[in-house]
């Protein structure tokens, strides 16, 4: 009898609460599901505490602000108020910290606590950047906002309208526009016209690669005004709008974006090569080698020029030269747009021109959730938005010399906190003009 009991399977917590596999649909890759969230506007909040009273009434059937799932903090000296409530993060840290797996995120985007498994240990509160799961000082229970199952009462009863629900943008059109422009640019630069971008002439109009022009000047030792002026077009475009060529027009950038869609996981770029200044060194080396060798040294291995020269109206493929394209495209396995981040001398030239830019991207509006969203940092292909600063509640400064103006952050931000501004406009209240 005793032996048969030992053979019986023991019921474990894992059997009661198995971890649910993350579901991925096709629509999640193309356009992630948008769920309701609560936005808080500190400029409108008076600290009245109505939200706490309403929330506590739902939680414990009586007015007891300490039992509410929202907490209002007031700073009398500064005259400011701040509401602490669950942001229902895309990747909840509380869910990972819960030792009993009592926290789950539903398909509706709401992060809930299952009271059957919760032991009120408080680890979720410590893991949350906003300390949103609130421990009731009287009962010791953990209370956390569940959006009132999609219709939050605090939003309905806030007398000043400091709380509001949003599902973000109804349509993300920038993504479709960028892919369309990239495809058309690739068709024009690579298929229709031979030698485009490296040097292109249409009647009296001449366009040339500024990096190739610098090498040409160095190799020949002469400055040809016609050639130099033809390179100004792209530089002027960069001064006006930033590095839009890199994000919207570059044919090799289009190839990298396509490769990015099929690369399953990044292995990481070597730390000793992880310097954004390297591309400026390569630019200097390309110009210096051109002066020594007497020809445009980098142009022979430039993936942009290779693509532009690879296919033309004669339908002649230069297979040997094209080998550089997959070789450099393979750097996507390490990091997104690794070529653009660390190696591209054309990007370095445009980066120098962007010092005179008229536009900038800011992520600092009051609507930015920072702690919980960080979608802008996740979607940035060149990794210049600091996710750690967002987690700390700080509006990150975006280095515009590295920004390729793809506008993914502007397009993806569900709260319209990422915006394009003139460089002299303030980004956040109290920030100096830059």
């Amino acid at each position: 009898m005793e032996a048969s009991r030992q053979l019986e399977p023991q019921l474990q917590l894992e059997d009661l609460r198995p971890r649910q596999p993350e579901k991925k649909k096709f629509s999640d890759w193309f356009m992630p599901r948008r769920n309701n969230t609560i936005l808080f506007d500190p400029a409108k909040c008076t600290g009245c505490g109505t939200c706490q009273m309403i929330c506590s009434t739902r939680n414990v059937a009586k007015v007891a602000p300490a039992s509410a799932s929202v907490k209002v903090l007031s700073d009398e000296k500064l005259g400011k108020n701040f509401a602490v409530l669950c942001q229902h993060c895309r990747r909840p840290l509380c869910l990972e910290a819960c030792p009993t797996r009592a926290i789950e995120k539903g398909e509706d985007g709401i992060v809930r606590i299952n009271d059957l498994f919760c032991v009120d240990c408080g680890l979720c509160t410590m893991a949350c950047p906003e300390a949103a799961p609130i421990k009731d000082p009287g009962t010791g229970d953990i209370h956390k906002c569940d959006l009132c199952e999609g219709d939050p009462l605090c939003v309905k009863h806030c007398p000043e309208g400091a709380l509001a629900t949003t599902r973000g943008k109804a349509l993300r059109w920038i993504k479709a526009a960028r892919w369309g422009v990239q495809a058309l640019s690739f068709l024009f630069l690579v298929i229709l016209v031979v030698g485009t971008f490296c040097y292109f002439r249409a009647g009296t109009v001449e366009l040339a690669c500024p990096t190739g022009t610098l090498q040409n000047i160095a190799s020949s030792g002469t400055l040809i005004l016609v050639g130099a002026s033809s390179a100004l077009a792209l530089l002027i475009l960069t001064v006006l709008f930033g590095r839009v060529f890199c994000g919207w027009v570059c044919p090799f950038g289009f190839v990298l974006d396509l490769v990015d869609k099929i690369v399953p996981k990044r292995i990481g770029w070597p730390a000793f090569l992880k310097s954004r200044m390297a591309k400026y060194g390569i630019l200097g080396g390309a110009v210096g080698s051109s002066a020594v060798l007497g020809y445009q040294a980098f142009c022979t291995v430039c993936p942009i020029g290779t693509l532009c020269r690879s296919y033309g109206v004669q339908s002649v493929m230069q297979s040997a030269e094209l080998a550089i394209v997959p070789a450099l495209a393979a750097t996507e396995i390490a990091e997104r747009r690794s070529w653009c981040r660390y190696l591209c001398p054309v990007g370095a030239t445009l980066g120098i021109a962007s010092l005179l830019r008229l536009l900038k991207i800011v992520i600092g509006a009051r609507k930015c959730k920072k702690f919980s969203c960080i979608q802008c940092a996740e979607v940035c292909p060149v990794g210049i938005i600091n996710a750690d600063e967002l987690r700390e509640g700080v509006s990150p400064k975006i280095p515009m010399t590295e920004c390729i103006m793809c506008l993914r952050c502007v397009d993806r931000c569900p709260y319209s906190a990422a915006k394009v501004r003139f460089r002299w406009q303030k980004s956040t209240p109290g920030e100096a003009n830059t």
Side-chain angles (χ1 to χ4, degrees):
M1 186 70 177
E2 192 69 27
S4 62
R5 286 182 179 177
Q6 292 179 356
L7 294 176
E8 291 179 0
Q10 299 296 316
L11 190 62
Q12 303 291 331
L13 180 63
E14 296 289 334
D15 303 320
L16 292 173
R17 190 69 174 153
R19 185 177 295 279
Q20 297 296 322
E22 185 179 0
K23 297 180 180 179
K24 282 289 184 181
K25 302 178 182 177
F26 176 77
S27 58
D28 294 332
W29 295 101
F30 184 73
M31 187 172 290
R33 180 187 179 95
R34 295 177 290 110
N35 300 303
N36 279 332
T37 53
I38 297 179
L39 293 183
F40 170 70
D41 189 346
K44 296 180 179 180
C45 182
T46 62
C48 66
T50 301
C51 54
Q52 295 182 104
M53 291 186 287
I54 293 295
C55 184
S56 63
T57 301
R58 180 178 183 271
N59 286 345
V60 295
K62 64 179 180 179
V63 177
S67 300
S69 301
V70 56
K71 186 175 183 180
V72 178
L73 304 177
S74 299
D75 190 325
E76 296 181 359
K77 292 182 179 180
L78 297 177
K80 295 182 178 180
N81 304 291
F82 188 80
V84 176
L85 69 161
C86 179
Q87 299 295 317
H88 302 276
C89 307
R90 294 178 66 241
R91 298 178 180 177
L93 298 180
C94 59
L95 187 151
E96 297 299 325
C98 181
T100 60
R101 298 182 185 173
I103 300 177
E104 58 186 356
K105 183 169 184 175
E107 292 188 2
D108 54 5
I110 299 177
V111 180
R112 300 176 176 87
I113 295 181
N114 190 326
D115 294 333
L116 177 64
F117 298 98
C118 181
V119 295
D120 301 313
C121 63
L123 289 178
C124 54
T125 303
M126 290 186 283
C128 176
E130 294 196 27
I134 300 172
K135 196 176 187 71
D136 191 322
T139 63
D141 296 335
I142 297 290
H143 298 289
K144 195 191 74 61
C145 170
D146 61 359
L147 287 180
C148 297
E149 298 303 324
D151 189 19
L153 296 174
C154 58
V155 173
K156 285 185 175 181
H157 293 87
C158 179
E160 302 298 329
L163 297 173
T165 55
T166 180
R167 292 190 65 187
K169 298 177 181 177
L171 179 65
R172 297 209 317 265
W173 61 270
I174 297 178
K175 180 176 183 178
R178 186 183 63 255
W179 278 103
V181 171
Q182 284 182 300
L184 290 175
S185 299
F186 186 88
L187 175 66
F188 178 77
L189 296 175
V190 177
I191 306 297
L192 296 182
V193 183
V194 181
T196 305
F197 180 69
C198 297
Y199 187 82
F200 169 66
R201 175 181 292 176
T204 58
V205 178
E206 295 184 0
L207 300 175
C209 168
T211 304
T213 301
L214 287 175
Q215 295 178 82
N216 188 36
I217 294 172
S219 61
S220 63
T222 58
L223 174 61
I224 303 175
L225 293 180
V226 175
S229 61
S230 63
L232 288 177
L234 188 54
L235 297 179
I236 293 173
L237 180 68
T238 304
V239 169
L240 292 177
F241 304 108
R243 290 173 55 184
V244 290
F245 173 82
C246 301
W248 291 71
V249 180
C250 177
F252 188 59
F254 179 59
V255 171
L256 293 179
D257 286 342
L258 291 177
V259 174
D260 173 60
K261 294 298 181 182
I262 61 175
V263 173
K265 190 176 181 180
R266 307 295 196 251
I267 62 175
W269 192 256
F272 68 94
L273 294 176
K274 211 168 186 177
S275 172
R276 296 184 186 271
M277 296 303 295
K279 58 181 173 289
Y280 296 97
I282 294 175
L283 173 62
V287 174
S289 350
S290 298
V292 173
L293 300 175
Y295 65 90
Q296 296 161 295
F298 176 75
C299 291
T300 58
V301 294
C302 175
I304 306 173
T306 298
L307 280 172
C308 291
R309 296 188 299 268
S310 64
Y311 188 92
V313 292
Q314 296 85 6
S315 301
V316 177
M317 298 296 295
Q318 301 177 6
S319 56
E321 186 179 5
L322 269 179
I324 193 66
V325 174
L328 294 179
T331 59
E332 282 292 297
I333 299 175
E335 282 184 1
R336 296 179 67 187
R337 290 264 190 158
S338 297
W339 167 256
C340 306
R341 295 189 192 197
Y342 310 118
L343 303 174
C344 181
V346 177
T349 304
L350 300 181
I352 295 172
S354 68
L355 291 172
L356 303 175
R357 71 195 179 278
L358 296 181
L359 301 178
K360 66 178 179 179
I361 293 178
V362 298
I363 302 175
R366 287 194 300 268
K367 292 182 179 180
C368 181
K369 289 171 66 174
K370 297 184 181 69
F371 302 105
S372 55
C373 178
I374 66 171
Q375 291 191 48
C376 55
E378 293 175 349
V379 79
C380 179
V382 289
I384 56 175
I385 300 177
N386 194 318
D388 293 332
E389 290 183 353
L390 287 169
R391 286 289 193 194
E392 295 170 3
V394 177
S395 297
K397 294 288 185 66
I398 300 179
M400 294 305 297
T401 55
E402 300 295 329
C403 176
I404 62 173
M405 290 299 288
C406 63
L407 302 184
R408 283 176 172 87
C409 55
V410 177
D411 193 36
R412 176 63 69 87
C413 179
Y415 314 108
S416 299
K419 296 181 179 294
V420 178
R421 289 284 185 262
F422 289 108
R423 65 177 301 166
W424 54 83
Q425 288 182 298
K426 292 183 178 180
S427 303
T428 56
E431 180 186 4
N433 294 338
T434 55

